[in-house]
Amino acid sequence: MVRAEIKQIARDIRTMRIRGAGRIARAAARALKIAAKTSRAKTSTEFMRGLGHVSELLLATRPTAISLPNTIRYVMLDAKRAREVDVQTLRRSVISRADEFIRGSKGAVEQIGEIGARRISDGDVVLTHCNSDCALAIIKAAFKQGKHIQTFVTESRPMRQGLISVRELRKVGIPTTLIVDSAVRHFIRDIDKIIVGADSIAANGAVVNKIGTSQIALIAHEARVLFFVAAESYKFHPGTLVGRLVEIEERPPKEIINPRRFPGLKIRNPVFDVTPPEYIDLIITERGIIPPSAAYTVIQQLFEWKLGEEKI
Amino acid sequence: MVRAEIKQIARDIRTMRIRGAGRIARAAARALKIAAKTSRAKTSTEFMRGLGHVSELLLATRPTAISLPNTIRYVMLDAKRAREVDVQTLRRSVISRADEFIRGSKGAVEQIGEIGARRISDGDVVLTHCNSDCALAIIKAAFKQGKHIQTFVTESRPMRQGLISVRELRKVGIPTTLIVDSAVRHFIRDIDKIIVGADSIAANGAVVNKIGTSQIALIAHEARVLFFVAAESYKFHPGTLVGRLVEIEERPPKEIINPRRFPGLKIRNPVFDVTPPEYIDLIITERGIIPPSAAYTVIQQLFEWKLGEEKI
Amino acid sequence: MVRAEIKQIARDIRTMRIRGAGRIARAAARALKIAAKTSRAKTSTEFMRGLGHVSELLLATRPTAISLPNTIRYVMLDAKRAREVDVQTLRRSVISRADEFIRGSKGAVEQIGEIGARRISDGDVVLTHCNSDCALAIIKAAFKQGKHIQTFVTESRPMRQGLISVRELRKVGIPTTLIVDSAVRHFIRDIDKIIVGADSIAANGAVVNKIGTSQIALIAHEARVLFFVAAESYKFHPGTLVGRLVEIEERPPKEIINPRRFPGLKIRNPVFDVTPPEYIDLIITERGIIPPSAAYTVIQQLFEWKLGEEKI
Amino acid sequence: MVRAEIKQIARDIRTMRIRGAGRIARAAARALKIAAKTSRAKTSTEFMRGLGHVSELLLATRPTAISLPNTIRYVMLDAKRAREVDVQTLRRSVISRADEFIRGSKGAVEQIGEIGARRISDGDVVLTHCNSDCALAIIKAAFKQGKHIQTFVTESRPMRQGLISVRELRKVGIPTTLIVDSAVRHFIRDIDKIIVGADSIAANGAVVNKIGTSQIALIAHEARVLFFVAAESYKFHPGTLVGRLVEIEERPPKEIINPRRFPGLKIRNPVFDVTPPEYIDLIITERGIIPPSAAYTVIQQLFEWKLGEEKI
Amino acid sequence: MVRAEIKQIARDIRTMRIRGAGRIARAAARALKIAAKTSRAKTSTEFMRGLGHVSELLLATRPTAISLPNTIRYVMLDAKRAREVDVQTLRRSVISRADEFIRGSKGAVEQIGEIGARRISDGDVVLTHCNSDCALAIIKAAFKQGKHIQTFVTESRPMRQGLISVRELRKVGIPTTLIVDSAVRHFIRDIDKIIVGADSIAANGAVVNKIGTSQIALIAHEARVLFFVAAESYKFHPGTLVGRLVEIEERPPKEIINPRRFPGLKIRNPVFDVTPPEYIDLIITERGIIPPSAAYTVIQQLFEWKLGEEKI
Amino acid sequence: MVRAEIKQIARDIRTMRIRGAGRIARAAARALKIAAKTSRAKTSTEFMRGLGHVSELLLATRPTAISLPNTIRYVMLDAKRAREVDVQTLRRSVISRADEFIRGSKGAVEQIGEIGARRISDGDVVLTHCNSDCALAIIKAAFKQGKHIQTFVTESRPMRQGLISVRELRKVGIPTTLIVDSAVRHFIRDIDKIIVGADSIAANGAVVNKIGTSQIALIAHEARVLFFVAAESYKFHPGTLVGRLVEIEERPPKEIINPRRFPGLKIRNPVFDVTPPEYIDLIITERGIIPPSAAYTVIQQLFEWKLGEEKI
């Protein structure tokens, strides 16, 4: 039986109370840690079965973000590989890797800020879309270094997470302008660089991110404005090496309008879209800066995957 | 002194209670007609001065839509050209041209529907942005001809006029899907044609229309989806022949968010943008179908303008 | 009752024994002349009804080429405009305009050769597709002027009219290379210019021509090889000014393979495609050289059409 | 002295009785196996010399397909590396590696079908060119999974291998439409995905395949239709790592027309062309899905090649 | 016999002491005026023959600039059309039209400045190439209107006319930066608009101007920086309506280096190149602003040319 | 204290008496060798401190070329890694690695010539910019193989190193044409391939080279002319893996004009620019041919760098 606390985490992810691929990943690690801590399993098999239930519960919350399965894979790796060990050893392993993940994940955002800030010049005007910790970390790091930068933030309908970004940027004093999603092309000549986050990065360098990202990337490409993706390396999607597709989550219509007021109307609410690699200049990770054309080999290295393996 | 009724029309245009270039144009014609009817002028000069005041009042309401000055020009043309005529003759001229304009303007929408429907094929999926009478007229005309068509409509932030379009399309039974402005590129492979309206059309074929239009046109261009502009011929902007720029209106921030909740935040709210001619396939008018490259000669013909004239 | 001779002409056009928009046009003029000559009508009305039948018979043979209705329009123009004249006058008018058309049409090909040859330089390698009198006239005219040119000709499946072009070019001694339709991109770096004919030219400068033309134009555009269309001015399609679409003829599957040997297989055999204006450098006519962006005004001039007229 | 059976295999490859890079590769492996089995060599040196003759005979049949040298390399690898072993050991090695290759090659096609089918969605319309086992394997695998798909097949002049593909697809009941090579752009808006095979894949991701492939890829790129290459991993060309060029085979003119009927005419019949990597979305192999930008590192891995080695 | 003064003008044009299409045009008008004034002809025929000699002398100086023949055409128009008039009348006609041309030409530059300045915004950074009176007129007019603008000027090898532009701009106090021709793309993100002159404008909107112009236009197009051409309307080339090509002048190698120091070296020194219309946003003339797609109809209007006339 | 000889080398690099990334690299190796040879250090620490001074002196000369730090890194590698060794051992290590570097560097140019020549076909017309040993090595190697090739060379303002290339090419008898930098697009249809050198190559495949390179690459891309970069593998910039930017050196204005003659004028003289990877077909190194998309993994391999390391 799954504990209420864990169920609550799963629910919060599903209802987007916990949002953002990084925060979701850390919440999932925390959930597994709680499950490991509180497991009353007598045998290793039982313990692993319990953790398996929790993993499935978590995986079912949001289908697109690869950070969820990657986190679970990371936290459970040693436990899964272990042979003939007792429950206590498994418990310790899960707890310690969960802690390690959470620590690493927070550190990653900081490192991304530091590495990415090298690419922000004094006087730059930077646009960001939606609300990405990694993207904001870069902007803030550059600003802290004394670079005079300004930002444009899109509203990011339907959930308007742009308003959260706007508050975060204003809190540290960065001059910020809010625009509607439709106004990006109108202002593109005023923009020097664009930084967004990522929910999944495929082996061909394509990036799955908040709906609207791909059209901003297209606009940037048209005007030859630099387009950066900022993401922890657990956003890379290993399954794409063997052809798996990233499922695009569609969320309830009511996030857009009250459907009852429009009988007969169809409302489509995909929350992510796919930006092709040719519109992305760089992917900024805590492990360094990766051109989209290197995504394939980077995934090979990150997941120690060999050509032809199906297990991923 | 300007009558309350006329002031109310001007106010309604400014506050967007009267919206859409066609409706604005007809309201302006109506205002001039009222002014002519109710003028107590004793002399022609006095009469013309009064109408001049009304014209200025109307022109000040919205800076971008060329339909306003074009309508006033049309309604006042005979009166302005007249020499040594009495007040009664002027009055009759203004009233009759205002009536003529209103009639013609309504007819134009119908004719555009009929001409444009020739370009809609059975089975087409058509996307429209914002709320344009002309664009909807084409979709409805095609639907009435028995063509099985479907529509996608964008929300059109900040004023969400997409919701009005959605109601109009549903009222006549056309299958309709609502999406946020950011989702256009995600669905573009499902779309066969895009039809939007216009507020001003420049001599080089560029179209000024509701913010977001130019990025939809770019997305259509990338996917080679046909992009049509539907507009009455009084949307052509004669001043662009001699280099005048179309001013892009910026409206109050509060249309996007309550600025008081975000102190220090800059909010930009341009309501139009410029779509370059290379992203437009056809301009559908009541006078026929015009490729953007022909805008220059069409304006010459419409305004009987000769190479080198400054008066426009 | 329509004469056997005329029926034979119609049949020959339908079965492509008479091929090529120019030859079809002259055959149609000839058919009308025969009809006029041999009409036994007693009254003008009767005479016109007879010619009307012949016109319809001819129009039904091939749906795409605009040269057919344009020819009929030209030959019948005076007769149609005439009011209260006797049969003899009508007869004379039709015969004389048919003769005039045939003479003009032949002269046009020559003039196109002459004008177009100005654009062929010594040493040029020119590719042509299918079998166009106008395109070949330019190549031959340039060759006769002593320019050392070579040609590439595509096979032009399914009817392989490229083999006819190849014979015509070899007959006058022009070095010629035959390739399959699929090999155009492979050889494009060896080509300096491409010249093709046209069946219909739309108001936006788009050209309807033999299937395969549009992909050759795309290949030329990619490699920035000049792409010329050679066509008599009666290939311009006036109906496109008011939005009419050019119907693309599909011919019998058996022109590709014997369908009986492949039961259940669908075979599509469109004989034309549409080349968009942005891939066309120049349209070479007997009236001068026309950039595709000028097609709109050229059609206005050719058909003496005024903005807003529906009659076309 | 080379046995008749082996000579026949070589002849069949040269005359295209054995066609398709995969079938050629397996035939070559079979030829080497026969040679090994039937060799009467007394010494290892003699044995290797004999096999060397057979290798050269095979290599001379078709210059473009890299599968030939890659197969020979694979089959002979252990024998070549062996030092001081007897004839019997060499014989066994060649036979066993030839068997292994043939088995692996057949399995590869199946795996490609399975992996590639992940990228085919229900309702997709897929176009294929020429006759590729790998491409058809994907289409059939998707169809067997119950996805409702349709196919377009090009005739593929001059040898018309499209007709073979058409038969294979119809045999399993897939709705199929045949078109001429020139009609691809005309139908491109009806196509969702394109899948073709490959004869050689270069280190920069460029693909050498049946003439016409590169212009189909260009057309797909223009319309942003996905373009997939399906190929076993022995189609990668290691020599391109150090700059070697892939030779493009030209076959006899008579495959196009009877040259005697066209004296003086030059006929060019290249059977392959080169598709640049920017027009290819994915390369689907039995080892996983490879973006063209990863071809370089994949070849390094497949051939265990280190930066700077010339031996390849 | 041609007077020394006239010969000197011709020599100055040839040796580029008189440079720039506008200055050349005015010098030619002056030369014809002198010829008319000083002619000792007794008969009209003799007078016209003399002026004909002068015309030919002038036409031979520079082959590319259409302003030369256009000027001569303009100055001689009435004299050529005149029938049976005496020498004195011809003389007066030539003198008066020459004066008119010179006056108009100077006025044109001013009007271009005024019209073009409407397109320069406060804060713009404008790049210009070579030394064009019209381009500089626009920049200066905008600066005089109080707009804070800056300029980049290219060196413009081989004759380095950029240094002349630099002096003119500095003289009126405009902040100016000099760069080599190779550095345009490096600085393009700092540039808002580009303005160049023209030597000839073709019927398809292509512009012949100083060597290097077309690559700057390409760079602007890539970065979507606005590219304007500023030119008097006598730069339009009527002969291009009927297919005539603009000859590109090649000047002596010694303008680049001393050829004697590099025996065996070939040196090519074309002084103009052709910018295609798709890279040009607007052509700014004294008659208004013309999109390149309208060049065809503008030439028709300027030269009162009718479809099909060869005389041009 | 640094020896005069070493100071002179540093000065010669700074003043561009020693030019070209390869020559600079070898000069730096020579300087370190001299420093090692003549060091009077008593202790290892003292020795390393001395060599450290020399390294910094050399690094300060030119900021852009990565060959400088890469050379120093290479020469000092063993000495830096050594623990507890005496001065003599350090000295020997530095001298031997310096010799090795110089030998390898010269050999690299030759190997590049050989590998690159595989990509030059008989009859090719090759354009080169500035003066690159590696680019010229390829052209000369192909010429020596008996291929009939011709070259175009740009002047390469401001330092006009094109004149040096021209002399080198003429010395071996290759037909050569000199043009100004502005004339590249005018002649592009005559060019088959372009080969340039490199000063730094970034992890995303972007190439930093002589100012003007990026616009030539753009022109090549527009016309689909092959664009090759020839460079020794020590031109790859490892720091770009973690986001470091390549600094673009700006040299004194007087290289362009005498600034005193133009008071108030700003002169910008960047000597390098950045060519994006999408305009580069191949990078030809002594280690093989590398597509720009493989730069990332090639740098990983060359510098034995692992994902996530900061030390570079």
Side-chain angles (χ1 to χ4, degrees), chain B residues 2-20:
Chain B
V2 178
R3 286 173 66 92
E5 200 180 349
I6 292 169
K7 280 184 183 160
Q8 185 59 42
I9 289 174
R11 205 173 307 119
D12 284 355
I13 295 176
R14 190 168 43 245
T15 58
M16 292 182 64
R17 204 159 320 183
I18 298 173
R19 278 168 322 90

Side-chain angles (χ1 to χ4, degrees), chain E residues 155 157 160 167 176-178 181-182 185 187 212 214-215 222 256-257 261-262 265-266 268 279, chain F residues 155 157 160 167 176-178 181-182 185 212 214-215 219 222 256-257 261 264-266 268 279:
Chain E
E155 185 186 26
R157 282 283 294 161
R160 305 180 86 192
R167 282 196 202 280
T176 300
T177 302
L178 179 74
D181 300 306
S182 275
R185 192 172 178 278
F187 288 108
S214 83
Q215 58 198 51
E222 185 203 21
I256 301 179
I257 51 162
R261 290 180 45 221
F262 294 83
L265 179 66
K266 200 165 167 183
R268 295 287 303 271
Y279 298 163
Chain F
E155 184 185 26
R157 284 282 296 160
R160 305 180 84 191
R167 283 194 202 282
T176 299
T177 302
L178 178 74
D181 300 307
S182 275
R185 191 172 180 279
S214 82
Q215 58 198 50
I219 293 163
E222 185 204 21
I256 301 178
I257 50 163
R261 289 180 45 220
L265 180 66
K266 200 167 170 182
R268 295 287 302 271
Y279 298 162

Side-chain angles (χ1 to χ4, degrees), chain B residues 143-154:
Chain B
F143 187 73
K144 269 184 209 152
Q145 291 167 4
K147 292 174 184 163
H148 296 86
I149 59 178
Q150 295 182 47
T151 58
F152 274 73
V153 178
T154 53

